Amino acid sequence: MRKPSFVYVTYIRSTPEKVWEALTDPATIRKYWFGITVETDWKSGSPWTMKFEDGRTADTGEILEAIPPRRLVIGKWQNQFKPELKAVGYTRCTIEIEMADYYPDFGGKAVKVTIMHEAETEQGAPMIEAVSGGWPKIMSNLKSLLETGDVAFGRCEP
Amino acid sequence: MTDPSRFKPKTVYVTYIAAPPEKVWQALTSAEFTQRYFFGFVIDVEPKTGGNFFIRYPDGRVHIAGKVLDWTPPRRFSCTWLVEGMETFGELPECIVTYEIEPAGEAVRLTMTESHSWDVPEAILAGGRAGWPAILSNLKSVLETGRPMTIKMGPPPEMMEAVRKAVAEKPWLK
């Protein structure tokens, strides 16, 4: 059986460098990721920790690849605040950033961002289901922030 | 009329947009809007359940034809789709495309669901899976910034071959 996975693609009027910065700068992340903070030095092999506004750890993982401004891979991604999700083990998230073909005279540049979030085993399906609800919210907010200077919505309904 | 219960969701795309539901509805159903974000295609829809639905090339030729299955502004718009404007695509069974608009905090959640009545090969689904993110990202940009991105895109390479094979073998009749 195939490993559970979720793919989300979005196009953003921006540059790969600006998208990379938005994905890796903690102050920017907090704006579009509903108050979440990320702690890591973005070096291959380094720990990666997501925290809620109140300081509780949300998720943990490890940077597997960080190639600015093109590719970011976070492995050993595990939920730490819901026991039933923590129990399903590790997932891996690959983010790819590329220029989409475009007609510069009509619309300007577009960056294609592809998120692929996969479970390491079949048991990871509930975690993939959880992130498949989250990524569209997060990426929609990131797109709004980069294109308009403001997020689409500040609070994330559970 | 088409029985939607025979159709299963195969591709779902969700985006959140900072606009009122009525504006998102207008963007999905008015010709002026679709022309700006939908690769230049123009919607032509009879605004009622059971009405005719077309997506036309800018010169008026039909690209996609169908019937409206649900017209519930500003919440739900569903129609059958048959791609008539591309070689052999018109011989495939129709699919159903449904847009749902729901409030989500200060924003709106737009969900697009593409449903099929047969076991569609991945290579054919790849067309919608490539196209929908571009179309709906662009719709969001138009509503939030007033400007589209005009992303250039064609059918994925294996898709044409998969369509020709499906039309030759007609697996939906088996």
Side-chain angles (χ1 to χ4, degrees):
Chain A
M1 190 181 156
R2 278 203 326 223
K3 289 176 189 171
S5 67
F6 174 72
V7 177
Y8 190 77
V9 175
T10 186
Y11 290 83
I12 304 175
R13 184 191 290 114
S14 188
T15 63
E17 289 75 15
K18 284 184 182 153
V19 172
W20 179 269
E21 197 197 336
L23 287 169
T24 55
D25 173 52
T28 312
I29 292 171
R30 200 175 302 138
K31 285 186 201 164
Y32 66 81
W33 205 317
F34 312 106
I36 287 280
T37 316
V38 171
E39 290 175 4
T40 180
D41 63 7
W42 305 108
K43 290 200 173 78
S44 179
S46 292
W48 168 94
T49 307
M50 257 174 54
K51 290 191 167 172
F52 291 113
E53 273 176 307
D54 62 11
R56 279 180 306 140
T57 298
D59 292 11
T60 55
E62 181 186 310
I63 305 296
L64 297 184
E65 281 181 64
I67 309 166
R70 301 271 165 237
R71 186 175 158 86
L72 178 63
V73 185
I74 301 166
K76 297 183 185 170
W77 182 324
Q78 187 176 32
N79 183 293
Q80 300 293 343
F81 66 101
K82 287 185 177 166
E84 69 277 17
L85 290 182
K86 183 176 166 75
V88 303
Y90 290 154
T91 60
R92 171 193 293 229
C93 182
T94 302
I95 303 177
E96 286 184 334
I97 304 163
E98 58 196 311
M99 286 306 298
D101 284 337
Y102 64 98
Y103 296 114
D105 293 348
F106 295 143
K109 296 179 179 182
V111 178
K112 180 184 182 188
V113 185
T114 305
I115 309 268
M116 185 159 84
H117 206 136
E118 309 156 274
E120 292 198 354
T121 66
E122 273 177 48
Q123 281 69 41
M127 180 63 175
I128 296 306
E129 201 186 323
V131 302
S132 68
W135 280 120
K137 292 182 182 133
I138 295 158
M139 296 310 290
S140 294
N141 244 2
L142 167 60
K143 175 174 162 73
S144 295
L145 183 64
L146 287 174
E147 292 187 4
T148 73
D150 200 1
V151 296
F153 55 125
R155 295 245 160 251
C156 176
E157 308 300 325
Chain B
M1 201 153 111
T2 306
D3 172 15
S5 67
R6 291 188 301 111
F7 290 68
K8 291 196 182 109
K10 296 283 184 182
T11 301
V12 178
Y13 190 85
V14 175
T15 182
Y16 291 80
I17 303 172
E22 292 76 15
K23 289 297 281 185
V24 178
W25 178 270
Q26 196 187 0
L28 291 170
T29 57
S30 84
E32 299 73 37
F33 267 100
T34 63
Q35 198 164 18
R36 302 189 66 201
Y37 67 81
F38 204 134
F39 301 123
F41 289 117
V42 183
I43 191 172
D44 171 11
V45 60
E46 269 184 273
K48 59 177 186 186
T49 299
N52 288 313
F53 160 77
F54 300 100
I55 301 263
R56 297 182 184 276
Y57 289 94
D59 66 8
R61 279 179 304 130
V62 172
H63 175 45
I64 292 159
K67 291 276 185 200
V68 178
L69 298 176
D70 188 1
W71 179 269
T72 311
R75 299 280 170 238
R76 196 165 185 276
F77 174 35
S78 180
C79 37
T80 61
W81 280 49
L82 191 61
V83 179
E84 291 190 346
M86 284 167 79
E87 181 214 341
T88 66
F89 275 66
E91 294 175 54
L92 292 174
E94 63 188 7
C95 70
I96 294 177
V97 171
T98 302
Y99 300 108
E100 285 166 296
I101 302 168
E102 302 157 275
E106 310 126 68
V108 152
R109 173 167 52 230
L110 171 62
T111 306
M112 186 296 305
T113 306
E114 183 190 304
S115 304
H116 294 263
S117 60
W118 59 295
D119 193 13
V120 192
E122 290 290 313
I124 295 180
L125 292 174
R129 286 175 185 168
W132 286 117
I135 293 162
L136 297 174
S137 289
N138 232 0
L139 181 156
K140 177 172 159 75
S141 291
V142 168
L143 283 174
E144 293 185 1
T145 73
R147 284 196 300 150
M149 293 178 287
T150 316
I151 300 152
K152 185 182 169 186
M153 189 176 283
E158 293 85 25
M159 187 184 181
M160 305 303 288
E161 184 51 41
V163 169
R164 276 191 282 272
K165 185 167 181 281
V167 165
E169 296 172 1
K170 300 194 172 24
W172 53 86
L173 297 178
K174 284 166 196 162

